[in-house]
Amino acid sequence: MVGIFKSVQNQIRNAVKIGKMNPNFEKHILQPKNKILFSVPVIMNNKVEMFEGYRIQHNNWLGPYKGGLRFHPDVNMDEVSALATWMTMKCALQDIPYGGGKGGLTIKPQDYTEKELELISRAFSKQLCEFIGEDKDIPAPDVGTTSQIMDWMTDEYNNNNKLKREQGVFTGKSIDCGGSEGREEATGRGVAMTVKEWAKQENIDLKGKTFTVQGFGNVGRFAALTLESFGMKMIAVGDSGGYVHHEEGIDINDILNHISTEGSIKGFWGPTCGYAKCESINTDEFYALKADVIIPAALESQITSERAEKIDCQLIVEGANGPTTHEADVILKEKGIRVIPDILANSGGVLVSYYEWLQNKQSMKWEKQDVLDKLDSKMGDCYNKIDELSKKYNCTMREASFVYALQALEKIYNKTK
Ligand code: NAD
């Protein structure tokens, strides 16, 4: 299996070929503009603990670099470079005036107290200061980071930036600290909106249709809650604590209550959980279940070729970034399974981050319903324009999404570079 960044570069090369784009443009867009590596020392309990921090600024032709910060022990240059490149594509695909960036810290956040996490987040933000800014590079939450972490980081940035207060330097903040209504659910809800649009175009009634979700954090749970509101039934779900399957359907609030007391899905099986037929399964069994829609919403490279061979569904919607390996993608195409790719399916998050940034810059607060209405209609429009493009080029929705994004960037390259 090739590294994840190489795999994104191959996605770009393939789309450049389909869209017959300028080979000089291709050379620019294949590489990040800046790769910044930090050592982040933090004093805790009178001892220095050293963390490794990353910020990759992939491209800023459309606007400031934009992309999340991940707190996870496996964060590395290859992964962050891939995620930054996908951000450039995602923003161009949604016609948002942003480029792409991504960052992270090698840390297992669960191992630290809240006070320690604040110290670590502030130390990282202080080091990021000279490289970011509301018109330069705007980080946001990702795996392992929260609105509370964005609030600390925004405060620390402004403590160190005496020239002017910039509330829009981070997005995904809490509502009290300048966050937007609707941002918390934006990514998951956007995922569900693409399912709704797919069903509308294919004349499918979603009532009673089944779905499974891998990853029940921010993206997975809001996608599931929105699909449930369409009358769909969640028959399996998994997180880092394990997976459960119940063919008659799992009530989402029941499992969320379990997670809030137990920390993960672990233990939500057997007679004590109230679902007598709830069984514990492993990841391979999860991906082999028959369902109408599968939503990977955890980490990269979860749908491997072995799992793709066994997948039995109509639609896969990529809530996570890069959940499907290139080899698996080829198999899914041969099997005729439609994949709504990550850069389209999970773009609701950056869309509402953009709305948060606009509100911060204009000192305004938008009503929640206005934000959600804008999100829903942009997700539907984006699905349709890519569906049409995929028919025009006779290619997959992933290929069409890359062609659309790259053509927007190529226009700037051809006129200005
Ligand atoms: P999160 O930290 O809130 O949740 C991650 C979930 O995945 C948790 O339930 C965790 O237990 C689970 N998980 C971790 N390792 C797992 C494993 N090996 N097997 C099964 N489950 C596992 O993160 P999130 O914000 O929901 O992000 C999930 C994915 O969506 C990531 O790929 C992220 O880059 C992407 N994404 C997030 C946003 C956003 O706004 N949060 C936007 C776009 C894309």
Side-chain angles (χ1 to χ4, degrees), residues 163-199:
L163 290 176
K164 103 180 200 260
R165 204 180 150 74
E166 295 181 14
Q167 202 172 30
V169 60
F170 287 85
T171 60
K173 302 177 292 290
S174 68
I175 306 276
D176 292 336
C177 294
S180 175
E181 294 285 355
R183 175 61 185 90
E184 198 191 0
E185 60 263 59
T187 310
R189 184 180 171 102
V191 166
M193 286 302 151
T194 65
V195 177
K196 191 175 184 183
E197 200 58 36
W198 162 78

Side-chain angles (χ1 to χ4, degrees), residues 187-189 191 213 215-224 295-297 319-320 346:
T187 310
R189 184 180 171 102
V191 166
V213 190
F216 220 50
N218 175 275
V219 180
R221 64 183 62 183
F222 283 108
I295 301 179
N346 69 33

Side-chain angles (χ1 to χ4, degrees), residues 70 142-144 183 187 216-219 239-240 243 297-298 319-321:
R70 180 172 289 196
D142 191 71
V143 174
R183 175 61 185 90
T187 310
F216 220 50
N218 175 275
V219 180
D239 69 5
S240 49
Y243 293 79
N321 286 308

Side-chain angles (χ1 to χ4, degrees), residues 56-67:
I56 305 295
Q57 298 173 327
H58 175 258
N59 188 279
N60 64 349
W61 296 345
L62 287 170
Y65 303 104
K66 180 85 189 89

